[in-house]
Amino acid sequence: METESSRIVQLGTRNVVFPSQELGQLEDCNKLLGDRDALHKEMEDKGYLFIRGLHDRQEVLNARLAVLEYIKNSGEDKLDLTHAWEEGVLEYRCGKGCIPFMEGKNDITHSEVVLKVLEGPRPFQFFKTFFGEEPRTFDFKWLRGIHREAFTGAHVDSVYMSWGTPNLYTLWTPMGDVKPELGTLAVCEGSHKLEAGFKHFQETYGNLDVERDNLKGTGWFTCDPFEITTKFGGKWKTSEFQAGDVLIFTMRTVHMSTANLTNLVRISCDTRWQRASEPVDPRYVGDMNIQARPKFGLYGSDEKSSNREITIEELRMKWGLE
């Protein structure tokens, strides 16, 4: 139901009212913190945990400024310096490829102020409680600055990182106060379950390995959120995030983002967490090629360069998911 506070946002390629039946409001699970069994039940039921204030707010805001300064110092035509650079206003020509690539293990991801958030005592303590043992996080950090009109299509993370334990979780940290108009993460509640409407989806697309299967493209299943809910079920949800809030979800939870409809850069970081005792994906820990830009996700191209490569469209036909 639309309310006086409802507004139009863009989820993938679709304009939707938020909050509404098409894009609902996330409910936080803060009342469950410290109760391992209750947290696991919430994750099992919904496929995610929305936690208010997991990180220290001021530490997140400090990290945001460090990333903005890094962007500012990376070259001209990134930020509109007729405004204070701390505001994060993009230069009007700054589009795809303009904001520096910051993913991996590098000077900004592993700067003291950023790492204080990403590998601080708060997330470590949360996951120690959640796992019931010592946690481990990947050295690789997915730190991103999102330009105007950009968004992430609907996908599951298992297609990108399935060489270690399946009991891996993504923690999405927005660096600052982020409204849906700036680009928030949205999850499709219940999409992680290997039952009912999502069974065939998870047994086909969910078991894709973008490297093993020589995929060409982003790895996203679709940019249309309604294709997911119409074909398989579930319900899209997001929220207004305050600095310190996080969203944690499984490798099988379908998620995407709202588009950045502002002139500001949206800064966020994905980190991955697992039990320290379980196998780890070797591509994202220890020594790695930190200069290589990923071939998938936001940086993927649909142009095939060899006959060995396959597109998501071809796979969808093969799976009977067109």
mmCIF file of all heavy atoms in Angstrom, residues 5-40:
data_model
loop_
_atom_site.group_PDB
_atom_site.id
_atom_site.type_symbol
_atom_site.label_atom_id
_atom_site.label_comp_id
_atom_site.label_asym_id
_atom_site.label_seq_id
_atom_site.Cartn_x
_atom_site.Cartn_y
_atom_site.Cartn_z
ATOM 1 N N SER A 5 4.544 8.797 2.632
ATOM 2 C CA SER A 5 6.002 8.812 2.553
ATOM 3 C C SER A 5 6.541 8.015 1.372
ATOM 4 O O SER A 5 7.740 7.905 1.196
ATOM 5 C CB SER A 5 6.599 8.244 3.852
ATOM 6 O OG SER A 5 6.180 6.903 4.042
ATOM 7 N N SER A 6 5.642 7.412 0.567
ATOM 8 C CA SER A 6 6.076 6.628 -0.572
ATOM 9 C C SER A 6 6.707 7.519 -1.633
ATOM 10 O O SER A 6 6.351 8.683 -1.785
ATOM 11 C CB SER A 6 4.892 5.874 -1.194
ATOM 12 O OG SER A 6 4.324 4.980 -0.276
ATOM 13 N N ARG A 7 7.640 6.959 -2.364
ATOM 14 C CA ARG A 7 8.208 7.700 -3.493
ATOM 15 C C ARG A 7 8.638 6.711 -4.569
ATOM 16 O O ARG A 7 8.720 5.507 -4.333
ATOM 17 C CB ARG A 7 9.390 8.553 -3.047
ATOM 18 C CG ARG A 7 10.615 7.764 -2.634
ATOM 19 C CD ARG A 7 10.749 7.567 -1.169
ATOM 20 N NE ARG A 7 12.146 7.323 -0.829
ATOM 21 C CZ ARG A 7 12.582 7.136 0.388
ATOM 22 N NH1 ARG A 7 11.735 7.155 1.395
ATOM 23 N NH2 ARG A 7 13.858 6.924 0.634
ATOM 24 N N ILE A 8 8.921 7.226 -5.756
ATOM 25 C CA ILE A 8 9.333 6.398 -6.884
ATOM 26 C C ILE A 8 10.845 6.235 -6.851
ATOM 27 O O ILE A 8 11.589 7.210 -6.763
ATOM 28 C CB ILE A 8 8.914 7.028 -8.229
ATOM 29 C CG1 ILE A 8 7.394 7.221 -8.277
ATOM 30 C CG2 ILE A 8 9.389 6.155 -9.392
ATOM 31 C CD1 ILE A 8 6.609 5.944 -8.275
ATOM 32 N N VAL A 9 11.296 4.979 -6.900
ATOM 33 C CA VAL A 9 12.717 4.679 -7.017
ATOM 34 C C VAL A 9 12.882 3.727 -8.194
ATOM 35 O O VAL A 9 11.897 3.207 -8.733
ATOM 36 C CB VAL A 9 13.293 4.063 -5.726
ATOM 37 C CG1 VAL A 9 13.107 5.012 -4.557
ATOM 38 C CG2 VAL A 9 12.664 2.708 -5.424
ATOM 39 N N GLN A 10 14.123 3.487 -8.597
ATOM 40 C CA GLN A 10 14.379 2.589 -9.718
ATOM 41 C C GLN A 10 15.093 1.349 -9.203
ATOM 42 O O GLN A 10 16.216 1.417 -8.722
ATOM 43 C CB GLN A 10 15.227 3.276 -10.789
ATOM 44 C CG GLN A 10 15.433 2.412 -12.040
ATOM 45 C CD GLN A 10 16.291 3.100 -13.084
ATOM 46 O OE1 GLN A 10 16.230 4.320 -13.241
ATOM 47 N NE2 GLN A 10 17.094 2.317 -13.798
ATOM 48 N N LEU A 11 14.429 0.195 -9.321
ATOM 49 C CA LEU A 11 15.012 -1.086 -8.947
ATOM 50 C C LEU A 11 15.409 -1.802 -10.232
ATOM 51 O O LEU A 11 14.546 -2.227 -10.999
ATOM 52 C CB LEU A 11 14.016 -1.921 -8.149
ATOM 53 C CG LEU A 11 14.495 -3.299 -7.691
ATOM 54 C CD1 LEU A 11 15.700 -3.183 -6.759
ATOM 55 C CD2 LEU A 11 13.366 -4.066 -7.006
ATOM 56 N N GLY A 12 16.717 -1.902 -10.475
ATOM 57 C CA GLY A 12 17.157 -2.415 -11.765
ATOM 58 C C GLY A 12 16.647 -1.500 -12.869
ATOM 59 O O GLY A 12 16.889 -0.293 -12.845
ATOM 60 N N THR A 13 15.894 -2.086 -13.805
ATOM 61 C CA THR A 13 15.360 -1.296 -14.925
ATOM 62 C C THR A 13 13.934 -0.819 -14.688
ATOM 63 O O THR A 13 13.338 -0.195 -15.563
ATOM 64 C CB THR A 13 15.379 -2.149 -16.213
ATOM 65 O OG1 THR A 13 14.678 -3.383 -15.967
ATOM 66 C CG2 THR A 13 16.806 -2.453 -16.645
ATOM 67 N N ARG A 14 13.379 -1.101 -13.522
ATOM 68 C CA ARG A 14 11.970 -0.793 -13.264
ATOM 69 C C ARG A 14 11.804 0.361 -12.278
ATOM 70 O O ARG A 14 12.465 0.416 -11.239
ATOM 71 C CB ARG A 14 11.279 -2.019 -12.678
ATOM 72 C CG ARG A 14 11.189 -3.198 -13.636
ATOM 73 C CD ARG A 14 10.034 -3.046 -14.587
ATOM 74 N NE ARG A 14 9.744 -4.319 -15.238
ATOM 75 C CZ ARG A 14 8.586 -4.621 -15.793
ATOM 76 N NH1 ARG A 14 7.591 -3.737 -15.775
ATOM 77 N NH2 ARG A 14 8.405 -5.786 -16.374
ATOM 78 N N ASN A 15 10.874 1.248 -12.571
ATOM 79 C CA ASN A 15 10.469 2.266 -11.618
ATOM 80 C C ASN A 15 9.415 1.669 -10.700
ATOM 81 O O ASN A 15 8.412 1.099 -11.175
ATOM 82 C CB ASN A 15 9.896 3.493 -12.333
ATOM 83 C CG ASN A 15 10.960 4.272 -13.068
ATOM 84 O OD1 ASN A 15 12.121 4.285 -12.670
ATOM 85 N ND2 ASN A 15 10.583 4.924 -14.157
ATOM 86 N N VAL A 16 9.647 1.779 -9.391
ATOM 87 C CA VAL A 16 8.722 1.189 -8.423
ATOM 88 C C VAL A 16 8.457 2.172 -7.300
ATOM 89 O O VAL A 16 9.259 3.078 -7.040
ATOM 90 C CB VAL A 16 9.281 -0.131 -7.833
ATOM 91 C CG1 VAL A 16 9.470 -1.173 -8.918
ATOM 92 C CG2 VAL A 16 10.584 0.104 -7.089
ATOM 93 N N VAL A 17 7.335 1.993 -6.651
ATOM 94 C CA VAL A 17 7.011 2.791 -5.467
ATOM 95 C C VAL A 17 7.663 2.127 -4.258
ATOM 96 O O VAL A 17 7.615 0.901 -4.100
ATOM 97 C CB VAL A 17 5.491 2.879 -5.264
ATOM 98 C CG1 VAL A 17 5.164 3.577 -3.933
ATOM 99 C CG2 VAL A 17 4.836 3.620 -6.427
ATOM 100 N N PHE A 18 8.297 2.914 -3.420
ATOM 101 C CA PHE A 18 8.852 2.410 -2.170
ATOM 102 C C PHE A 18 8.350 3.251 -1.007
ATOM 103 O O PHE A 18 8.438 4.484 -1.055
ATOM 104 C CB PHE A 18 10.382 2.454 -2.194
ATOM 105 C CG PHE A 18 10.989 2.070 -0.871
ATOM 106 C CD1 PHE A 18 10.998 0.740 -0.459
ATOM 107 C CD2 PHE A 18 11.509 3.041 -0.017
ATOM 108 C CE1 PHE A 18 11.525 0.387 0.787
ATOM 109 C CE2 PHE A 18 12.041 2.693 1.223
ATOM 110 C CZ PHE A 18 12.052 1.361 1.615
ATOM 111 N N PRO A 19 7.835 2.619 0.056
ATOM 112 C CA PRO A 19 7.564 1.177 0.160
ATOM 113 C C PRO A 19 6.240 0.809 -0.494
ATOM 114 O O PRO A 19 5.311 1.618 -0.536
ATOM 115 C CB PRO A 19 7.515 0.956 1.671
ATOM 116 C CG PRO A 19 7.042 2.267 2.223
ATOM 117 C CD PRO A 19 7.596 3.325 1.312
ATOM 118 N N SER A 20 6.156 -0.417 -0.987
ATOM 119 C CA SER A 20 4.944 -0.912 -1.639
ATOM 120 C C SER A 20 5.005 -2.428 -1.681
ATOM 121 O O SER A 20 5.968 -3.041 -1.214
ATOM 122 C CB SER A 20 4.837 -0.351 -3.066
ATOM 123 O OG SER A 20 5.857 -0.915 -3.893
ATOM 124 N N GLN A 21 4.013 -3.052 -2.290
ATOM 125 C CA GLN A 21 4.010 -4.505 -2.453
ATOM 126 C C GLN A 21 5.150 -4.949 -3.360
ATOM 127 O O GLN A 21 5.661 -6.060 -3.227
ATOM 128 C CB GLN A 21 2.673 -4.968 -3.029
ATOM 129 C CG GLN A 21 1.521 -4.930 -2.037
ATOM 130 C CD GLN A 21 1.746 -5.902 -0.880
ATOM 131 O OE1 GLN A 21 2.034 -5.501 0.253
ATOM 132 N NE2 GLN A 21 1.654 -7.183 -1.165
ATOM 133 N N GLU A 22 5.539 -4.091 -4.299
ATOM 134 C CA GLU A 22 6.600 -4.452 -5.245
ATOM 135 C C GLU A 22 7.990 -4.312 -4.631
ATOM 136 O O GLU A 22 8.921 -5.024 -5.012
ATOM 137 C CB GLU A 22 6.496 -3.577 -6.499
ATOM 138 C CG GLU A 22 5.234 -3.834 -7.307
ATOM 139 C CD GLU A 22 5.091 -2.870 -8.466
ATOM 140 O OE1 GLU A 22 5.662 -1.752 -8.384
ATOM 141 O OE2 GLU A 22 4.427 -3.230 -9.445
ATOM 142 N N LEU A 23 8.149 -3.397 -3.689
ATOM 143 C CA LEU A 23 9.428 -3.187 -3.016
ATOM 144 C C LEU A 23 9.132 -2.792 -1.573
ATOM 145 O O LEU A 23 8.836 -1.629 -1.280
ATOM 146 C CB LEU A 23 10.246 -2.101 -3.723
ATOM 147 C CG LEU A 23 11.638 -1.821 -3.142
ATOM 148 C CD1 LEU A 23 12.511 -3.071 -3.179
ATOM 149 C CD2 LEU A 23 12.327 -0.683 -3.904
ATOM 150 N N GLY A 24 9.215 -3.779 -0.700
ATOM 151 C CA GLY A 24 8.840 -3.562 0.687
ATOM 152 C C GLY A 24 9.990 -3.074 1.551
ATOM 153 O O GLY A 24 11.125 -2.903 1.095
ATOM 154 N N GLN A 25 9.679 -2.883 2.817
ATOM 155 C CA GLN A 25 10.623 -2.370 3.802
ATOM 156 C C GLN A 25 11.262 -3.529 4.579
ATOM 157 O O GLN A 25 10.573 -4.384 5.121
ATOM 158 C CB GLN A 25 9.903 -1.443 4.780
ATOM 159 C CG GLN A 25 10.712 -1.018 5.985
ATOM 160 C CD GLN A 25 11.880 -0.123 5.615
ATOM 161 O OE1 GLN A 25 11.726 0.874 4.919
ATOM 162 N NE2 GLN A 25 13.061 -0.485 6.088
ATOM 163 N N LEU A 26 12.585 -3.563 4.627
ATOM 164 C CA LEU A 26 13.290 -4.538 5.444
ATOM 165 C C LEU A 26 12.977 -4.325 6.921
ATOM 166 O O LEU A 26 12.828 -3.185 7.370
ATOM 167 C CB LEU A 26 14.803 -4.409 5.240
ATOM 168 C CG LEU A 26 15.389 -4.839 3.902
ATOM 169 C CD1 LEU A 26 16.815 -4.310 3.765
ATOM 170 C CD2 LEU A 26 15.368 -6.357 3.757
ATOM 171 N N GLU A 27 12.897 -5.426 7.652
ATOM 172 C CA GLU A 27 12.732 -5.352 9.104
ATOM 173 C C GLU A 27 14.031 -5.783 9.751
ATOM 174 O O GLU A 27 14.559 -6.855 9.452
ATOM 175 C CB GLU A 27 11.588 -6.248 9.558
ATOM 176 C CG GLU A 27 10.230 -5.815 9.040
ATOM 177 C CD GLU A 27 9.119 -6.732 9.514
ATOM 178 O OE1 GLU A 27 9.424 -7.697 10.263
ATOM 179 O OE2 GLU A 27 7.955 -6.505 9.156
ATOM 180 N N ASP A 28 14.552 -4.961 10.669
ATOM 181 C CA ASP A 28 15.829 -5.313 11.288
ATOM 182 C C ASP A 28 15.647 -6.456 12.288
ATOM 183 O O ASP A 28 14.533 -6.715 12.764
ATOM 184 C CB ASP A 28 16.461 -4.096 11.962
ATOM 185 C CG ASP A 28 15.737 -3.656 13.230
ATOM 186 O OD1 ASP A 28 15.818 -4.402 14.225
ATOM 187 O OD2 ASP A 28 15.097 -2.592 13.225
ATOM 188 N N CYS A 29 16.752 -7.129 12.566
ATOM 189 C CA CYS A 29 16.727 -8.269 13.494
ATOM 190 C C CYS A 29 17.538 -7.963 14.751
ATOM 191 O O CYS A 29 18.048 -8.891 15.407
ATOM 192 C CB CYS A 29 17.255 -9.522 12.805
ATOM 193 S SG CYS A 29 18.993 -9.441 12.329
ATOM 194 N N ASN A 30 17.668 -6.695 15.104
ATOM 195 C CA ASN A 30 18.497 -6.313 16.247
ATOM 196 C C ASN A 30 18.062 -6.966 17.555
ATOM 197 O O ASN A 30 18.896 -7.263 18.412
ATOM 198 C CB ASN A 30 18.506 -4.790 16.402
ATOM 199 C CG ASN A 30 19.369 -4.122 15.356
ATOM 200 O OD1 ASN A 30 19.113 -4.229 14.154
ATOM 201 N ND2 ASN A 30 20.414 -3.431 15.792
ATOM 202 N N LYS A 31 16.773 -7.230 17.680
ATOM 203 C CA LYS A 31 16.291 -7.862 18.920
ATOM 204 C C LYS A 31 16.814 -9.284 19.079
ATOM 205 O O LYS A 31 16.761 -9.856 20.186
ATOM 206 C CB LYS A 31 14.764 -7.860 18.949
ATOM 207 C CG LYS A 31 14.107 -8.682 17.854
ATOM 208 C CD LYS A 31 12.607 -8.586 17.922
ATOM 209 C CE LYS A 31 11.927 -9.415 16.842
ATOM 210 N NZ LYS A 31 12.219 -8.901 15.469
ATOM 211 N N LEU A 32 17.342 -9.866 17.988
ATOM 212 C CA LEU A 32 17.838 -11.240 18.030
ATOM 213 C C LEU A 32 19.338 -11.325 18.290
ATOM 214 O O LEU A 32 19.873 -12.420 18.487
ATOM 215 C CB LEU A 32 17.536 -11.952 16.701
ATOM 216 C CG LEU A 32 16.092 -11.926 16.212
ATOM 217 C CD1 LEU A 32 15.988 -12.652 14.882
ATOM 218 C CD2 LEU A 32 15.156 -12.543 17.242
ATOM 219 N N LEU A 33 20.019 -10.184 18.295
ATOM 220 C CA LEU A 33 21.469 -10.195 18.430
ATOM 221 C C LEU A 33 21.881 -10.865 19.740
ATOM 222 O O LEU A 33 21.308 -10.607 20.798
ATOM 223 C CB LEU A 33 22.013 -8.762 18.380
ATOM 224 C CG LEU A 33 21.860 -8.051 17.028
ATOM 225 C CD1 LEU A 33 22.431 -6.640 17.100
ATOM 226 C CD2 LEU A 33 22.514 -8.845 15.902
ATOM 227 N N GLY A 34 22.867 -11.735 19.646
ATOM 228 C CA GLY A 34 23.327 -12.494 20.800
ATOM 229 C C GLY A 34 22.667 -13.851 20.925
ATOM 230 O O GLY A 34 23.146 -14.710 21.672
ATOM 231 N N ASP A 35 21.572 -14.071 20.173
ATOM 232 C CA ASP A 35 20.854 -15.353 20.215
ATOM 233 C C ASP A 35 21.165 -16.111 18.930
ATOM 234 O O ASP A 35 20.532 -15.890 17.896
ATOM 235 C CB ASP A 35 19.352 -15.104 20.354
ATOM 236 C CG ASP A 35 18.550 -16.390 20.553
ATOM 237 O OD1 ASP A 35 19.008 -17.460 20.124
ATOM 238 O OD2 ASP A 35 17.442 -16.310 21.125
ATOM 239 N N ARG A 36 22.160 -16.991 18.990
ATOM 240 C CA ARG A 36 22.625 -17.684 17.787
ATOM 241 C C ARG A 36 21.509 -18.471 17.101
ATOM 242 O O ARG A 36 21.357 -18.397 15.878
ATOM 243 C CB ARG A 36 23.781 -18.621 18.152
ATOM 244 C CG ARG A 36 24.371 -19.376 16.971
ATOM 245 C CD ARG A 36 25.664 -20.078 17.368
ATOM 246 N NE ARG A 36 26.189 -20.836 16.243
ATOM 247 C CZ ARG A 36 25.967 -22.133 16.051
ATOM 248 N NH1 ARG A 36 25.243 -22.814 16.946
ATOM 249 N NH2 ARG A 36 26.463 -22.759 15.011
ATOM 250 N N ASP A 37 20.719 -19.205 17.855
ATOM 251 C CA ASP A 37 19.653 -20.012 17.251
ATOM 252 C C ASP A 37 18.622 -19.130 16.551
ATOM 253 O O ASP A 37 18.148 -19.456 15.450
ATOM 254 C CB ASP A 37 18.966 -20.866 18.323
ATOM 255 C CG ASP A 37 19.866 -21.978 18.848
ATOM 256 O OD1 ASP A 37 20.844 -22.321 18.159
ATOM 257 O OD2 ASP A 37 19.594 -22.498 19.949
ATOM 258 N N ALA A 38 18.262 -18.013 17.173
ATOM 259 C CA ALA A 38 17.267 -17.115 16.575
ATOM 260 C C ALA A 38 17.806 -16.468 15.310
ATOM 261 O O ALA A 38 17.069 -16.291 14.322
ATOM 262 C CB ALA A 38 16.859 -16.042 17.587
ATOM 263 N N LEU A 39 19.090 -16.110 15.304
ATOM 264 C CA LEU A 39 19.700 -15.528 14.109
ATOM 265 C C LEU A 39 19.714 -16.530 12.958
ATOM 266 O O LEU A 39 19.439 -16.181 11.799
ATOM 267 C CB LEU A 39 21.114 -15.053 14.418
ATOM 268 C CG LEU A 39 21.226 -13.812 15.297
ATOM 269 C CD1 LEU A 39 22.671 -13.608 15.747
ATOM 270 C CD2 LEU A 39 20.710 -12.563 14.570
ATOM 271 N N HIS A 40 20.036 -17.776 13.267
ATOM 272 C CA HIS A 40 20.053 -18.800 12.224
ATOM 273 C C HIS A 40 18.646 -19.070 11.684
ATOM 274 O O HIS A 40 18.480 -19.304 10.482
ATOM 275 C CB HIS A 40 20.694 -20.086 12.745
ATOM 276 C CG HIS A 40 22.190 -20.064 12.687
ATOM 277 N ND1 HIS A 40 22.898 -20.522 11.583
ATOM 278 C CD2 HIS A 40 23.111 -19.599 13.556
ATOM 279 C CE1 HIS A 40 24.195 -20.361 11.800
ATOM 280 N NE2 HIS A 40 24.344 -19.799 12.991
#
